[in-house]
Amino acid sequence: MFAYIVRRILYAFPILIGVNALTFALFFMVNTPDDMARMHLGEKHVTQEAVNVWKEERGYNKALLWNHEQQGMDKLTDTIFFDKSLSLFAFEFGQADDGRDIGEDIQTRMWPSLAIAVPVFIIGMLANITFAMLMVFFRASYLDLSGVILCVVLMSISGLFYIIGGQFLVGKIMQLVPLSGYAQGLDAFKFVILPVFIGIVSGIGSGSRWYRTLFLEEVSKDYVRTARAKGLSEIRVLFVHVLKNAMIPILTGAVVVLPTLFMGSLILESFFGIPGLGSYTIDAIQAQDFAIVRSMVFLGSVLYIVGLVLTDISYTLVDPRVRLDG
């Protein structure tokens, strides 16, 4: 297993380099360093001298990818791409284009993101699996059909409807929670309870229907018929045997959302004014702050790769037949 983990880590480096290069290329295809300088200076008539000073202070006064004025390896290393990319692999994110320390921003903003993402992930998964199990338990009945129809209806409704409807009904009409904002400590509960609830409800439709498909595939297998022949109850068959054998696809689906546990939800945080990493990324895109954008994309890629490795390792725990050979 150790050799497997080392190999996966080594594979991660070219992937991260490629993601970073693609982010760099896409960003600077839309904006030049001069455009970024004029936007951040915020003046209608910005002199070229002011633009040059801004670029020099932030390291944007070099060539983008290839420096024809240098010799040897300096043609590659004396560039914006190399200067801005190398430090990322040491998790040194540097400063944003407006002077803020990105590392400190991430450490501060990750807690509001986790306050929303972790409950949505855990409670949402439990709710989806339980609802899917109930539909499978009553399969081929009117209850199962009603559950499937409800899932399709929930899937067909836009996530923005849940947010706007929840804010209007719970926040404005009933006035049970604040419409937006955030507070530290236990006071944060009243600000995150509505986003968490909306995040769970909006995901029940697609999540439960997907789990139902997995469980229906499992209940038709021989081991389930054998368990029933031994006299086990249907509930025990479903929640012990079927659920256990469906864990590999469940874990595979869970890894997709692992980066969001840290990175936050872009839409929820923006609409509810939560100062998390999701809204942090949105604000950086709107401000064309390349330093923050590249840092968040790189961090998200790292978390996704880590999630894939952890998922592979977890396979060995739920299925003894799986072996991670070096």
Side-chain angles (χ1 to χ4, degrees):
M1 181 181 294
F2 178 76
Y4 171 82
I5 295 175
V6 172
R7 189 173 73 247
R8 289 297 297 267
I9 293 175
L10 294 177
Y11 286 164
F13 282 97
I15 295 174
L16 293 175
I17 293 173
V19 169
N20 194 30
L22 182 61
T23 304
F24 183 90
L26 291 175
F27 191 92
F28 282 103
M29 283 174 60
V30 179
N31 305 282
T32 66
D34 284 15
D35 295 333
M36 295 165 56
R38 292 188 176 92
M39 173 171 285
H40 285 278
L41 290 173
E43 300 175 6
K44 293 183 178 179
H45 302 288
V46 182
T47 63
Q48 187 60 42
E49 289 76 11
V51 170
N52 293 338
V53 170
W54 187 93
K55 292 194 299 182
E56 186 173 357
E57 289 176 347
R58 290 157 179 81
Y60 291 116
N61 58 326
K62 300 179 181 179
L64 292 177
L65 292 169
W66 188 259
N67 195 334
H68 296 281
E69 298 179 357
Q70 298 295 334
Q71 300 294 326
M73 286 299 297
D74 288 342
K75 289 179 176 291
L76 179 65
T77 58
D78 192 23
T79 59
I80 296 176
F81 176 74
F82 188 86
D83 288 345
K84 300 295 183 182
S85 301
L86 186 63
S87 60
L88 290 178
F89 288 89
F91 294 98
E92 295 179 1
F93 302 111
Q95 290 186 334
D97 292 338
D98 61 2
R100 292 175 298 168
D101 187 275
I102 299 177
E104 291 183 2
D105 284 347
I106 292 174
Q107 293 177 15
T108 302
R109 287 175 170 265
M110 71 178 184
W111 300 113
S113 293
L114 290 173
I116 296 177
V118 172
V120 170
F121 175 71
I122 296 176
I123 301 175
M125 178 173 287
L126 293 176
N128 293 342
I129 291 176
T130 302
F131 188 36
M133 280 293 187
L134 289 175
M135 287 190 288
V136 173
F137 183 80
F138 294 103
R139 60 190 174 278
S141 68
Y142 286 109
L143 288 176
D144 181 28
L145 179 60
S146 301
V148 173
I149 293 175
L150 178 61
C151 287
V152 173
V153 171
L154 293 175
M155 290 170 59
S156 304
I157 299 175
S158 171
L160 295 178
F161 176 83
Y162 292 106
I163 296 175
I164 297 173
Q167 286 181 325
F168 178 77
L169 180 62
V170 181
K172 189 172 183 179
I173 301 299
M174 303 175 68
Q175 296 185 349
L176 296 178
V177 294
L179 286 175
S180 63
Y182 190 75
Q184 299 296 327
L186 297 178
D187 292 335
F189 178 80
K190 62 183 179 181
F191 291 98
V192 302
I193 183 63
L194 182 57
V196 167
F197 178 75
I198 290 175
I200 294 171
V201 172
S202 62
I204 285 180
S206 58
S208 298
R209 195 177 181 199
W210 184 66
Y211 289 128
R212 176 182 177 274
T213 303
L214 293 179
F215 299 148
L216 284 177
E217 183 180 352
E218 290 294 325
V219 296
S220 63
K221 294 183 177 179
D222 292 338
Y223 76 88
V224 175
R225 287 191 288 268
T226 303
R228 290 186 185 131
K230 292 181 178 180
L232 297 180
S233 65
E234 188 68 11
I235 292 180
R236 182 174 178 82
V237 170
L238 289 177
F239 282 90
V240 176
H241 296 280
V242 171
L243 182 59
K244 180 180 179 180
N245 284 277
M247 283 305 296
I248 286 184
I250 290 175
L251 291 171
T252 303
V255 72
V256 177
V257 300
L258 283 179
T260 65
L261 296 182
F262 187 86
M263 301 293 289
S265 172
L266 302 179
I267 298 178
L268 281 176
E269 290 182 7
S270 297
F271 270 85
F272 286 96
I274 305 295
L277 292 176
S279 58
Y280 185 57
T281 305
I282 289 291
D283 294 341
I285 295 173
Q286 292 176 343
Q288 297 184 7
D289 195 317
F290 173 67
I292 297 177
V293 172
R294 68 179 173 83
S295 298
M296 299 308 297
V297 171
F298 180 85
L299 189 58
S301 302
V302 170
L303 292 173
Y304 189 76
I305 292 172
V306 170
L308 289 175
V309 175
L310 293 178
T311 301
D312 290 344
I313 294 174
S314 67
Y315 287 166
T316 64
L317 302 178
V318 299
D319 192 343
R321 296 170 297 179
V322 177
R323 291 289 181 267
L324 301 180
D325 298 326

